[in-house]
Amino acid sequence: MAMWVFGYGSLVWNPGFAHDARLVGFVRDYRRVFYQGSTDHRGTPEFPGRTVTLEHQPGATCWGVAYKISTEQDKQTALEHLEVREKQYDEKIYLDLYTDSSPKTPAVKNVMVQIYLAEGPSGPNKEYLFKLEDALNKIGVVDPHVQDLANAVRKYPDTAVSC
């Protein structure tokens, strides 16, 4: 049986594991928010960066990308990769994935979603934000929260903030 993993942050543009299929879709009753401090991948303990997490909100939808992993070896490798990459996650949950904006039945049931405290490869926090914005735009998703943050960050030149 195949395993599906849902990405709503850096997994949208950089899954980092082998997969057989990629499906754009959304989960219900959760929204993507830049509320998590990242002291390991996108910041330091003295100056934490911000990464996305999912927040339960009835009626909300969060668009992203689900990855299908079929072979046992690829599943094991993906899980090991995610355990290291998402080492501070709070929990794994399993949600239904929808691909149609007014669906009656899910496209995939029980997609694994990691809700965690930090994600993504090392690099500037604004890079994470802009890559997420770009990846969402490429799959036809405009997330107002991500868009508003990206637009706000663009207003400041690199020299406006110093550490």
Side-chain angles (χ1 to χ4, degrees):
M1 177 176 219
M3 175 178 80
W4 286 83
V5 176
F6 181 67
Y8 55 89
S10 62
L11 291 178
V12 173
W13 76 85
N14 182 24
F17 51 82
H19 53 278
D20 305 306
R22 179 180 185 269
L23 183 62
V24 174
F26 66 91
V27 295
R28 289 182 169 160
D29 297 326
Y30 285 87
R31 69 181 188 139
R32 176 186 12 255
V33 291
F34 264 87
Y35 286 2
Q36 297 302 327
S38 175
T39 59
D40 54 353
H41 290 292
R42 294 292 176 170
T44 65
E46 296 79 27
F47 195 68
R50 290 310 231 191
T51 57
V52 294
T53 189
L54 289 182
E55 180 178 78
H56 186 259
Q57 182 180 19
T61 57
C62 179
W63 284 86
V65 176
Y67 298 96
K68 180 182 180 183
I69 307 163
S70 297
T71 72
E72 291 305 314
Q73 180 59 49
D74 286 346
K75 288 181 205 177
Q76 184 62 34
T77 301
L79 287 172
E80 289 171 3
H81 172 75
L82 290 169
E83 290 296 326
V84 171
R85 180 174 172 166
E86 320 299 350
K87 62 186 169 200
Q88 295 178 347
Y89 70 86
D90 293 316
E91 64 181 304
K92 291 178 187 144
I93 59 173
Y94 295 86
L95 301 171
D96 293 339
L97 180 83
Y98 298 88
T99 56
D100 181 0
S101 59
S102 58
K104 293 187 171 126
T105 59
V108 180
K109 291 186 174 209
N110 297 317
V111 174
M112 183 177 66
V113 180
Q114 285 189 295
I115 299 176
Y116 46 84
L117 299 176
E119 73 169 297
S122 298
N125 204 189
K126 68 180 181 180
E127 175 188 62
Y128 175 91
L129 172 62
F130 295 148
K131 281 187 174 185
L132 177 57
E133 175 193 36
D134 182 58
L136 291 173
N137 288 336
K138 285 179 180 174
I139 63 172
V141 174
V142 175
D143 183 311
H145 180 70
V146 173
Q147 193 72 52
D148 289 347
L149 285 172
N151 288 337
V153 169
R154 283 189 192 94
K155 291 180 181 179
Y156 295 95
D158 288 342
T159 57
V161 179
S162 61
C163 297

